[in-house]
Amino acid sequence: MSGGKTGKLARKTYEKELLRLQTELVRLQEWVRAEGARLVVVFEGRDAAGKGGTIKRVTEHLNPRAARIAALPRPTERQRTQWYFQRYIEHLPAAGEIVLFDRSWYNRAGVEHVMGFCTKEEHELFLRQCPLFERMLVEDGILLRKYWFSVSDEEQQERFRRRLEDPLRRWKLSPMDLESITRWEDYSRAKDEMMVHTDITEAPWYVVESDDKRRARVNMIAHLLGSVPYDDVPPPVIEMPERPESTGYRRPPRELRTYVPDHAAGL
């Protein structure tokens, strides 16, 4: 565990700090746009480690035209024949954009390796090529940040249980997620091996302790903001125009339109 506080972060404190950090994220995005920067943030970690919730808070107030989430589905048969990194390259940002990878090319070092979806040779090739691939991204000017969300086995199992009982979140739970409980040590060994090969100076891994989701979210966002040397960009001057005088327009009668029933009136 880290040397800081490890208790649950109070909701009021969390919400106040999250709003402040989200305001800074908007400033960061304006800087990325103005500078033509390219920012890639990789979110990795075990199932139910809190990646999705953190991504949601990061993007909540950002302009979706310039900040998008890349959550790739299973590769097609054609993509399986391509160079492994090829389909991820298509989602990298252009100037002024931010891309958040909700899982990334590191699938090969984790679930594909542990579940036997790739061969031993493919896994070894990935571990050799990944540092080279990421060095090329950084050398080309991409700002690359990699976060590993670390959750204890007890907390993961409790989150799985809550998902199973919650009809709004049950879709998040797959048979493969549940199988990760029985393969905890396999995933641990795979993560350790991945870190040895890919925790490089140009693109280091940053571990986010995430048993407390609130603490994990503000810690990760604060670190991201502190890692990018952004400045305030003066907002454009926008003036509200005066509404012109009416030229005689009249709305059509209400009965000519079909309105949504007032469900709220019965609450």
Side-chain angles (χ1 to χ4, degrees):
M1 300 294 285
S2 64
K5 297 179 180 178
T6 56
K8 294 289 185 180
L9 186 63
R11 177 175 293 276
K12 187 174 181 180
T13 302
Y14 161 72
E15 291 177 348
K16 180 180 179 181
E17 178 62 7
L18 179 62
L19 181 59
R20 185 189 73 81
L21 293 171
Q22 288 176 326
T23 303
E24 286 299 315
L25 283 171
V26 173
R27 294 193 179 106
L28 169 64
Q29 184 178 41
E30 282 303 300
W31 176 85
V32 168
R33 178 193 59 79
E35 292 293 318
R38 293 169 292 165
L39 176 60
V40 171
V41 187
V42 168
F43 292 78
E44 288 288 344
R46 296 180 186 271
D47 297 314
K51 302 179 296 297
T54 304
I55 292 172
K56 181 178 179 180
R57 273 67 181 185
V58 170
T59 59
E60 189 171 5
H61 299 290
L62 298 183
N63 183 344
R65 293 186 179 90
R68 66 180 185 274
I69 301 168
L72 276 61
R74 293 180 181 177
T76 64
E77 288 303 314
R78 179 176 182 274
Q79 288 171 332
R80 291 179 190 277
T81 68
Q82 296 174 341
W83 179 44
Y84 177 72
F85 295 95
Q86 190 168 335
R87 71 187 189 116
Y88 293 98
I89 291 173
E90 296 176 1
H91 296 270
L92 292 173
E97 294 180 347
I98 300 172
V99 175
L100 311 177
F101 279 92
D102 185 359
R103 293 200 180 278
S104 64
W105 45 88
Y106 282 100
N107 273 348
R108 176 137 295 178
V111 63
E112 289 191 15
H113 173 52
V114 173
M115 300 301 295
F117 298 154
C118 69
T119 65
K120 178 182 177 182
E121 291 74 21
E122 288 172 331
H123 176 243
E124 292 175 349
L125 180 62
F126 170 84
L127 293 179
R128 291 197 305 271
Q129 289 187 341
C130 185
L132 303 174
F133 171 66
E134 292 181 350
R135 286 190 180 102
M136 285 191 290
L137 298 183
V138 174
E139 288 173 1
D140 200 60
I142 288 178
L143 301 170
L144 176 60
R145 302 293 181 269
K146 304 186 308 192
Y147 292 97
W148 176 270
F149 284 70
S150 178
V151 64
S152 66
D153 51 352
E154 297 88 354
E155 180 62 23
Q156 184 196 50
Q157 194 154 350
E158 175 60 20
R159 290 178 186 177
F160 282 163
R161 184 192 63 78
R162 291 199 297 267
R163 287 182 181 182
L164 192 61
E165 297 173 353
D166 185 349
L168 296 180
R169 295 190 295 168
R170 194 173 298 148
W171 63 269
K172 292 184 175 182
L173 199 59
S174 70
M176 193 174 299
D177 293 333
L178 296 177
E179 188 167 349
S180 68
I181 296 175
T182 63
R183 295 176 179 261
W184 180 271
E185 290 191 0
D186 293 336
Y187 274 103
S188 295
R189 294 187 184 96
K191 183 262 294 182
D192 292 343
E193 186 176 10
M194 176 195 79
M195 291 285 188
V196 167
H197 289 84
T198 63
D199 187 20
I200 59 177
T201 303
E202 297 87 346
W205 277 106
Y206 298 104
V207 178
V208 182
E209 292 179 321
S210 60
D211 274 9
D212 179 358
K213 289 184 178 181
R214 297 173 191 167
R215 188 179 297 277
R217 290 165 186 168
V218 297
N219 286 347
M220 179 267 150
I221 297 173
H223 182 274
L224 174 63
L225 291 166
S227 74
V228 179
Y230 69 99
D231 296 311
D232 272 332
V233 175
V237 177
I238 301 176
E239 295 184 0
M240 184 73 71
E242 295 290 334
R243 185 180 297 276
E245 293 292 331
S246 173
T247 58
Y249 170 77
R250 295 291 183 269
R251 293 181 63 182
R254 288 180 59 88
E255 58 267 22
L256 296 180
R257 300 289 180 264
T258 302
Y259 285 84
V260 172
D262 190 2
H263 172 77
L267 299 178

